[in-house]
């Protein structure tokens, strides 16, 4: 049986249903992710776009990175939660913030990126995580 996971915003109006396992689960310490989350890092899961079904109204904000790549962030116009984003280095995938799944059993990150921006007091990820600057 295929795994089915559902993510949503805080008020429940914007949802993403993901079929199967994520192709990548990562923690990112870049300044843009810190600003997006209001935290010291972000954790997200990426799924192939054809395995994600989005329902509900979303507003979109597009960020242009220093590289010139663009990422479209979709958030709930009522509660403001980012539920999914796409583009950037993974144009064929949809990223979902792990907190949107509200599932403490969600698979742990296997990648930690932008570590040169990591706060020295940030939580330590498991020994099986690939650390990338």
């Amino acid at each position: 049986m295929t795994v089915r996971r559902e993510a949503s915003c805080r008020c429940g109006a914007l949802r993403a249903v993901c079929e199967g396992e994520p192709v990548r689960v990562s923690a990112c310490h870049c300044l843009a992710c810190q600003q997006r989350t209001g935290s010291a890092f972000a954790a997200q899961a990426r799924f192939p776009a054809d395995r994600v079904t989005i329902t509900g109204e979303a507003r979109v904000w597009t960020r242009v990175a220093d590289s010139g790549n663009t990422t479209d962030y979709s958030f709930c116009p009522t509660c403001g939660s980012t539920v999914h984003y796409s583009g950037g280095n993974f144009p064929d995938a949809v990223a979902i913030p792990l907190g949107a799944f509200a599932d403490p059993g969600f698979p742990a990150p296997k990648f930690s990126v932008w570590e040169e921006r990591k706060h020295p007091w940030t939580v330590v990820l498991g020994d099986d995580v690939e650390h990338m600057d």
Side-chain angles (χ1 to χ4, degrees):
M1 181 174 190
T2 301
V3 175
R4 182 178 185 272
R5 293 186 171 92
E6 188 169 334
S8 72
C9 64
R10 289 180 291 174
C11 74
L14 180 58
R15 298 183 170 280
V17 174
C18 306
E19 300 289 339
E21 295 295 339
V23 294
R24 180 181 173 106
V25 181
S26 60
C28 182
H29 305 275
C30 79
L31 297 178
C33 280
Q34 290 179 35
Q35 287 179 314
R36 177 179 60 79
T37 63
S39 184
F41 65 96
Q44 54 278 321
R46 286 186 171 78
F47 295 85
D50 64 352
R51 294 193 341 216
V52 179
T53 303
I54 308 295
T55 57
E57 180 186 358
R59 294 264 165 74
V60 177
W61 177 71
T62 301
R63 178 181 179 273
V64 179
D66 293 341
S67 66
N69 288 336
T70 60
T71 301
D72 293 330
Y73 295 88
S74 297
F75 59 95
C76 175
T78 301
C79 69
S81 301
T82 300
V83 174
H84 62 93
Y85 54 97
S86 58
N89 294 333
F90 300 91
D92 298 324
V94 174
I96 312 279
L98 293 191
F101 290 103
D103 176 4
F106 200 91
K110 295 294 181 191
F111 299 91
S112 179
V113 299
W114 279 98
E115 289 201 334
E116 67 264 18
R117 302 278 172 86
K118 184 177 179 179
H119 292 249
W121 51 262
T122 302
V123 297
V124 177
L125 298 172
D127 292 335
D128 60 344
V129 174
E130 185 175 339
H131 299 275
M132 307 159 87
D133 286 331

